[in-house]
Structure formats: structure tokens, C-alpha cells
Amino acid sequence: MTEIPSLKDEELDVIGELISNMYGALEVHKLVQNGTDKKEALNTFMKRVLGSIDK
């Protein structure tokens, strides 16, 4: 999909953001299903995200 020449950079950014949001929701959902408190699951995921940005 990213190779489609008619897509603009802004559209690719939106697609990337949507994929990131879905991945995050799945990861948090998995943590909650495994017994992690919802707030702790969200904090754990955000720490991972922020940790990957800092690298």
C-alpha cells in the first residue's frame, strides 16, 4: 500500500498512525486479558512507546 504513487505523505502518516493505534490497543487488551490492571497496562505500553522514541 505504501508504494501506491497517488498517496500523499499526509495520507501515509494517517495510515501509519492508525496502524500504531490498533497495535497499541491490541497490546493493552492482551495485557488486560492476562490479568494486568487496565491503568497499569496502559502505563506499561506507554513506557515501551516512550522508550522506543528515546532510542
Side-chain angles (χ1 to χ4, degrees), residues 23-24 27-28 31 36-55:
Y23 174 74
E27 286 294 310
V28 170
L31 288 169
T36 305
D37 176 67
K38 184 178 179 180
K39 183 177 178 179
E40 183 62 31
L42 290 166
N43 285 333
T44 299
F45 182 72
M46 285 309 299
K47 286 177 188 175
R48 284 183 35 211
V49 168
L50 292 175
S52 69
I53 291 171
D54 291 338
K55 290 182 180 179

Side-chain angles (χ1 to χ4, degrees), residues 6-35:
S6 61
L7 283 177
K8 298 175 183 152
D9 287 341
E10 295 83 18
E11 293 168 324
L12 289 173
D13 289 343
V14 170
I15 292 169
E17 187 70 25
L18 289 171
I19 291 170
S20 295
N21 290 344
M22 287 189 293
Y23 174 74
L26 290 172
E27 286 294 310
V28 170
H29 179 73
K30 184 170 74 172
L31 288 169
V32 170
Q33 290 295 318
N34 289 332

